Amino acid sequence: MNSPIGVLKLTSDDYHLKSISFDAEISGEPAEFTEVLSLAQKQLEEYFSGTRRQFDLPLDPDGTDFQQKVWKQLSEVPYGSTMSYIEIARGLNAESSSRAVGMANGRNPIPVIIPCHRIIGHNGKLTGYAGGLERKKWLLLHEQQNSENNQLF
């Protein structure tokens, strides 16, 4: 799908969204367009237009138990807010694991919907993002402009 942050490739099984990839190429219609892909595209379009703040989709990202726990924590960071890697680690009762949290954050297979872009350095600076820092900045500014919270980073 086309989006303000580039072409996104969405994948699913019959029932769950599995991944979103950046820098995809549009190559005609997909072989099979599942109901969950239609719903995900609709909700992403609403998010990018500023009318959706929460996603309501069946997700099934592939990852380790620790990654799954990190991604669950990421999903609880509110729209228009940010948290640091250390805050996510503390939320998992694993304060010494902020680097592992960063690694799990970087391997998030469903960016935007699992909002890894909302995680920043403890000093308030933007840090790495699998989709590139320009996309991360765009997503954070987009949420800031469509939120009551006026101070993201």
Side-chain angles (χ1 to χ4, degrees):
M1 70 173 276
N2 284 311
S3 81
I5 58 172
V7 178
L8 305 176
K9 178 181 178 183
L10 287 63
T11 63
S12 73
D13 60 19
D14 289 338
Y15 307 103
H16 303 93
L17 185 65
K18 298 292 283 181
S19 70
I20 296 176
S21 303
F22 295 114
D23 297 323
E25 291 185 20
I26 295 179
S27 58
E29 289 297 311
E32 187 177 333
F33 206 72
T34 64
E35 186 176 329
V36 72
L37 288 176
S38 294
L39 184 59
Q41 182 172 340
K42 179 181 183 291
Q43 289 189 20
L44 282 164
E45 288 169 350
E46 292 168 350
Y47 169 84
F48 288 122
S49 74
T51 61
R52 175 171 290 276
R53 293 182 179 185
Q54 290 186 319
F55 293 95
D56 182 23
L57 296 165
L59 307 178
D60 187 22
D62 292 325
T64 66
D65 288 343
F66 181 76
Q67 289 170 333
Q68 297 284 344
K69 289 176 186 174
V70 170
W71 300 334
K72 184 176 182 327
Q73 282 288 120
L74 299 179
S75 296
E76 295 174 10
V77 178
Y79 181 94
S81 299
T82 58
M83 290 184 80
S84 69
Y85 296 98
I86 191 74
E87 290 173 305
I88 296 295
R90 284 183 190 134
L92 296 169
N93 295 318
E95 189 168 340
S96 63
S97 300
S98 62
R99 286 185 191 257
V101 166
M103 297 283 286
N105 197 48
R107 290 194 173 98
N108 172 15
I110 310 177
V112 182
I113 292 173
I114 298 176
C116 53
H117 60 278
R118 296 180 189 154
I119 310 307
I120 60 175
H122 72 277
N123 58 2
K125 294 196 178 203
L126 297 185
T127 56
Y129 184 61
L133 286 180
E134 283 304 310
R135 279 192 184 103
K136 182 173 188 161
K137 185 175 182 178
W138 190 95
L139 291 164
L140 291 172
L141 289 173
H142 170 71
E143 290 185 8
Q144 183 178 24
Q145 292 167 352
N146 292 288
S147 171
E148 289 81 44
N149 181 358
N150 290 325
Q151 205 149 20
L152 283 174
F153 55 95

